[in-house]
Amino acid sequence: MPPALPDLHGHAGDRRRAGARALGIRIHPAAAAAALAISCGTHYAADRRVPGKALLEKIATKAGKGGFYKLADFGMNGAFHLDSAWHHGWETVAAVVATTKATTR
């Protein structure tokens, strides 16, 4: 097995392999690369928050939820919640892509 590479958060890549090992699957390298590209691209797109030009702000405004995006009162932060939902959705897509060509051990 190749040496573990650190991920963006500084944790060893062994943790990802341990998860796949615990599930009894082998992730195909191309599927893993595609999943990482999805994750990277969607994180970049959503986390570039230029007021008035942010992707999530534009989507929220077009969906009629611009007021929720701008909400920042009473312990709520609309942008935070929309960002979180965006990331959870796309990470689910990335997980499905990552396991597309997975095989059992």
Side-chain angles (χ1 to χ4, degrees):
M1 210 177 249
L5 298 174
D7 66 18
L8 295 176
H9 302 290
H11 303 291
D14 286 334
R15 182 175 287 168
R16 287 185 296 274
R17 281 197 293 260
R21 193 174 304 119
L23 293 172
I25 60 175
R26 289 179 187 216
I27 304 294
H28 191 277
L36 288 171
I38 290 169
S39 179
C40 179
T42 57
H43 272 82
Y44 179 79
D47 292 338
R48 294 192 66 222
R49 294 196 191 127
V50 178
K53 297 181 182 180
L55 176 65
L56 292 181
E57 184 178 3
K58 286 181 180 181
I59 292 171
T61 301
K62 286 187 180 197
K65 300 296 180 184
F68 181 75
Y69 180 87
K70 295 175 184 173
L71 177 65
D73 206 355
F74 305 107
M76 290 285 292
N77 185 317
F80 169 80
H81 287 293
L82 289 174
D83 178 84
S84 180
W86 169 272
H87 289 309
H88 284 297
W90 281 108
E91 289 303 314
T92 300
V93 171
V96 170
V97 169
T99 57
T100 299
K101 293 184 177 184
T103 59
T104 57
R105 291 188 164 266

